[in-house]
Amino acid sequence: NAGVTQTPKFQVLKTGQSMTLQCAQDMNHEYMSWYRQDPGMGLRLIHYSVGAGITDQGEVPNGYNVSRSTTEDFPLRLLSAAPSQTSVYFCASSPGNNEQFFGPGTRLTVL
Amino acid sequence: AQKITQTQPGMFVQEKEAVTLDCTYDTSDQSYGLFWYKQPSSGEMIFLIYQGSYDEQNATEGRYSLNFQKARKSANLVISASQLGDSAMYFCAMRELDGGSQGNLIFGKGTKLSVKP
């Protein structure tokens, strides 16, 4: 089991560029989520999915899109990167009970 | 709305002593779960301990225990016999167990623990 994997680990973008952060899990979990972590803050929910084909917005969804075409994959798309999106991004998956597994994170800098 | 409050931005503890990290929560749900995560300087989120709202006993995992006081809506983490490797950020989080968003966590802002030799 690889658990939750995220790519890339680091990324630098210029303002206005677009990119996709990849997330995959091999535990057959229905629930997947994207969080961002800013300095001095806990993690904040961007988007989540309760199963393939179903997504919904979290606390801070603006500027991000997601899709869930398979149970395994949950990519996060930045449509037009802004400096305010400089952050560390965590993907997580859960079977929906008392467990939540996090990926190693992607550190994104937008210049 | 759900909310997690961690009032201690930073704490120091002497090696081998016990330390308590505070966490209070606010929810109108009857069914919820409380989590503690450790985030070392390397950045990964490490699960430590879980307490369900209907669990009658306080959760324990090795040197970690959760002091759950439901009426006070508090879920403090107790680390016994602190080690230098315990120096890290610690986050308290809560999850609804009913409804469609039950996979998601609400996080506090964290407490930075520093263990002194």
Side-chain angles (χ1 to χ4, degrees):
Chain A
N1 264 1
V4 181
T5 58
Q6 291 183 237
T7 56
K9 290 187 178 181
F10 301 93
Q11 183 70 49
V12 179
L13 292 178
K14 294 182 179 178
T15 297
Q17 287 184 317
S18 63
M19 80 158 295
T20 299
L21 306 185
Q22 301 291 343
C23 175
Q25 52 95 7
D26 60 0
M27 297 172 282
N28 203 34
H29 289 165
E30 290 298 318
Y31 297 96
M32 295 188 74
S33 311
W34 276 102
Y35 297 84
R36 62 177 287 174
Q37 183 180 25
D38 301 304
M41 305 283 289
L43 279 67
R44 292 183 294 168
L45 183 67
I46 304 171
H47 284 286
Y48 66 97
S49 169
V50 300
I54 307 170
T55 63
D56 206 346
Q57 297 181 351
E59 180 185 354
V60 287
N62 292 341
Y64 307 96
N65 272 357
V66 292
S67 59
R68 184 98 179 267
S69 56
T70 67
T71 299
E72 294 78 20
D73 300 300
F74 191 43
L76 178 72
R77 297 183 186 84
L78 280 71
L79 307 173
S80 177
S84 61
Q85 293 178 305
T86 293
S87 190
V88 180
Y89 292 84
F90 288 96
C91 179
S93 75
S94 171
N97 48 20
N98 62 339
E99 295 175 300
Q100 179 102 350
F101 299 88
F102 283 87
T106 293
R107 187 174 295 273
L108 176 68
T109 301
V110 183
L111 303 175
Chain B
Q2 292 186 329
K3 186 178 179 181
I4 296 284
T5 302
Q6 294 180 254
T7 57
Q8 307 152 313
M11 288 194 67
F12 289 91
V13 65
Q14 203 68 37
E15 191 179 11
K16 300 181 183 178
E17 291 185 349
V19 62
T20 298
L21 306 184
D22 294 341
C23 172
T24 58
Y25 60 92
D26 190 14
T27 180
S28 56
D29 291 344
Q30 296 301 310
S31 183
Y32 52 89
L34 296 156
F35 297 73
W36 277 92
Y37 283 86
K38 172 184 179 181
Q39 187 178 43
S41 57
S42 52
E44 71 267 32
M45 296 292 288
I46 301 170
F47 168 77
L48 295 178
I49 197 166
Y50 170 84
Q51 178 86 40
S53 58
Y54 293 115
D55 294 340
E56 294 186 353
Q57 292 193 326
N58 287 342
T60 61
E61 290 285 350
R63 294 187 300 110
Y64 305 107
S65 61
L66 199 152
N67 184 0
F68 181 47
Q69 298 187 46
K70 194 170 182 177
R72 293 185 175 185
K73 294 189 174 180
S74 74
N76 298 338
L77 177 71
V78 180
I79 305 175
S80 63
S82 297
Q83 302 172 355
L84 296 178
D86 294 334
S87 294
M89 284 291 291
Y90 289 81
F91 292 98
C92 180
M94 177 170 62
R95 157 190 282 164
E96 294 177 313
L97 296 180
D98 297 321
S101 63
Q102 63 182 276
N104 304 318
L105 297 178
I106 307 273
F107 283 83
K109 293 186 177 182
T111 295
K112 184 174 182 179
L113 178 66
S114 300
V115 181
K116 298 180 186 178

